[in-house]
Amino acid sequence: LTAQVGKRGEMASTAFVSHAINVTPAKRLQTGQARLRWRTARVKMTVSEPSGGEVPRSTGFWGLLRAINKFTRPHTIRGTILGAFAGCSRALLENRGMIDWGLVPTALLGVVALLLGNAYIVGINQIYDVNIDKVNKPFLPLAAGEMSSRLAWIVVFAALVGGLAIVYQFYSPLIFKLYAFGLGLGTVYSVPPFHLKRFPIIAALIISTVRGFLLNFGVYHATCAALKVPFTWNVPITFIATFMTVFAIVIALSKDIPDIKGDQSYQVKTFATRLGPAKMVKVVTSILSLNYLMAIAVAARFSHVLRSSFMLPAHAALLVALQLRSRSVNPESIDSVKKFYAFIWLLFYTEYLMFPFF
């Protein structure tokens, strides 16, 4: 056995030496160049952060799509889609005899316009807040270096023009004016010299107007116009417009809690930087709790119009869930605060999912 092993080892050594002798200088040069190209490609796929770490740069078609998806802030996209679904569904359920399936393409274009408007508003904010985001939200594509400033401007401009073109072509002058007004508010919120996000009360009012009133009123009104039925401020639409406007104020206040460090570094004054995370958690919990109590009261008062048997216990359950979740928040932990903010968005989505059944 030892002799066989030794013989095999001798044969392998002989083969290795024979191969080494037969490799020409040209082949060695080709191998070296191939290795150099491979190592260079690996270096190009990464970009150094100021912290010294490395972040994968988006490469190729799918990498570009991932960066653009992050740029549009998917959690806000979900809120916009659900808001459009809720308002449209409510109008259709109230006018079932007027449903025309030929209007589906126009409705889908409306959703696209809303998503483009959403992308414009969150995109323009990231362009002008890129330095702050490097502290508060280093995962965003501009702050992480996954997307160039030029590409960000292209996406934002395309979203602006595309959204305005769709609404102008397919919807009424009133809806176009409301849409343009919402984009204007999103612009002055982020863009100098206005930069109204510096003023906490004005910033909260802008966010609540766009995400609360304009979205809910605009979608319902546009659906009624498409069905050729007159718009009326009935109890359900009045409730959802009011409720979600207040809820949008809660989101505007709570979004600044995880961003205290970066806002303080760049002297951006928010309620969170002034009051601190512990007090802000109590503030947003209190406002949202009052909002749920209002919903319960509306369900009891208008039981002849609304499905109070569903609406009342549903909001009571959400109120209890909010109270329990708020008590588990550690204000000194950024991770805990971020999870609480994500929970607020989950409650936001839930309201839209329930609304067609009120």
Side-chain angles (χ1 to χ4, degrees):
L1 177 62
T2 305
Q4 289 179 359
V5 172
K7 186 175 180 180
R8 290 177 182 174
E10 185 176 330
M11 291 172 61
S13 299
T14 303
F16 175 79
V17 172
S18 175
H19 172 74
I21 293 173
N22 291 330
V23 173
T24 64
K27 289 184 178 179
R28 289 185 185 136
L29 179 60
Q30 290 176 357
T31 303
Q33 288 175 340
R35 289 176 179 172
L36 179 61
R37 285 195 297 269
W38 180 75
R39 290 173 181 172
T40 303
R42 289 189 63 189
V43 171
K44 287 183 177 180
M45 290 176 65
T46 59
V47 58
S48 296
E49 284 184 312
S51 60
E54 291 186 337
V55 178
R57 182 182 291 279
S58 297
T59 58
F61 178 73
W62 295 112
L64 182 64
L65 284 185
R66 282 193 295 269
I68 293 176
N69 178 58
K70 289 168 64 176
F71 185 66
T72 59
R73 307 307 307 276
H75 69 284
T76 65
I77 291 289
R78 287 191 290 269
T80 301
I81 292 175
L82 288 173
F85 165 79
C88 184
S89 298
R90 187 73 202 192
L92 292 174
L93 290 172
E94 292 173 353
N95 303 277
R96 297 179 185 180
M98 305 297 293
I99 296 177
D100 180 2
W101 295 107
L103 296 173
V104 171
T106 303
L108 293 177
L109 283 172
V111 174
V112 171
L114 288 173
L115 297 182
L116 289 174
N118 192 107
Y120 168 77
I121 290 174
V122 299
I124 200 74
N125 182 67
Q126 289 175 69
I127 289 173
Y128 284 98
D129 276 4
V130 62
N131 291 326
I132 300 177
D133 286 341
K134 288 179 180 178
V135 179
N136 290 336
K137 304 180 183 76
F139 55 86
L140 292 178
L142 270 180
E146 297 176 5
M147 174 186 272
S148 67
S149 177
R150 180 183 178 184
L151 177 58
W153 275 111
I154 291 173
V155 173
V156 163
F157 183 75
L160 174 65
V161 175
L164 286 171
I166 290 173
V167 178
Y168 180 81
Q169 181 67 31
F170 295 98
Y171 291 89
S172 68
L174 173 62
I175 296 301
F176 177 77
K177 291 176 183 177
L178 290 175
Y179 185 84
F181 178 61
L183 295 182
L185 289 178
T187 301
V188 298
Y189 175 86
S190 301
V191 177
F194 309 102
H195 204 220
L196 296 182
K197 67 176 296 182
R198 296 174 297 164
F199 310 103
I201 295 178
I202 297 177
L205 289 176
I206 288 176
I207 293 174
S208 63
T209 299
V210 174
R211 189 159 287 283
F213 174 76
L214 290 178
L215 175 61
N216 295 285
F217 168 77
V219 169
Y220 186 82
H221 188 285
T223 306
C224 288
L227 296 174
K228 295 181 172 56
V229 296
F231 170 83
T232 57
W233 279 106
N234 55 35
V235 174
I237 194 61
T238 302
F239 163 75
I240 197 66
T242 305
F243 184 90
M244 299 312 281
T245 298
V246 176
F247 209 134
I249 292 176
V250 171
I251 287 179
L253 296 176
S254 58
K255 77 177 184 61
D256 292 328
I257 303 176
D259 295 346
I260 290 177
K261 182 179 178 181
D263 289 342
Q264 287 177 335
S265 300
Y266 286 88
Q267 299 180 343
V268 177
K269 296 180 180 179
T270 65
F271 286 113
T273 59
R274 294 177 179 180
L275 300 179
K279 289 184 178 179
M280 280 305 300
V281 169
K282 293 180 180 179
V283 168
V284 298
T285 301
S286 298
I287 296 174
L288 190 50
S289 296
L290 290 174
N291 208 26
Y292 281 129
L293 290 173
M294 182 271 288
I296 293 171
V298 169
R301 171 65 179 80
F302 296 97
S303 58
H304 61 290
V305 179
L306 300 167
R307 291 189 179 92
S308 58
S309 58
F310 169 69
M311 186 174 171
L312 198 153
H315 286 95
L318 292 175
L319 173 59
V320 172
L322 171 65
Q323 290 294 325
L324 293 175
R325 185 66 183 83
S326 65
R327 293 175 186 178
S328 66
V329 179
N330 177 9
E332 303 305 319
S333 169
I334 294 295
D335 184 60
S336 179
V337 171
K338 286 182 177 180
K339 288 180 179 178
F340 178 67
Y341 178 54
F343 178 75
I344 295 294
W345 271 101
L346 182 61
L347 295 177
F348 188 82
Y349 303 150
T350 303
E351 192 67 27
Y352 275 136
L353 289 173
M354 297 191 307
F355 176 60
F357 305 102
F358 289 169

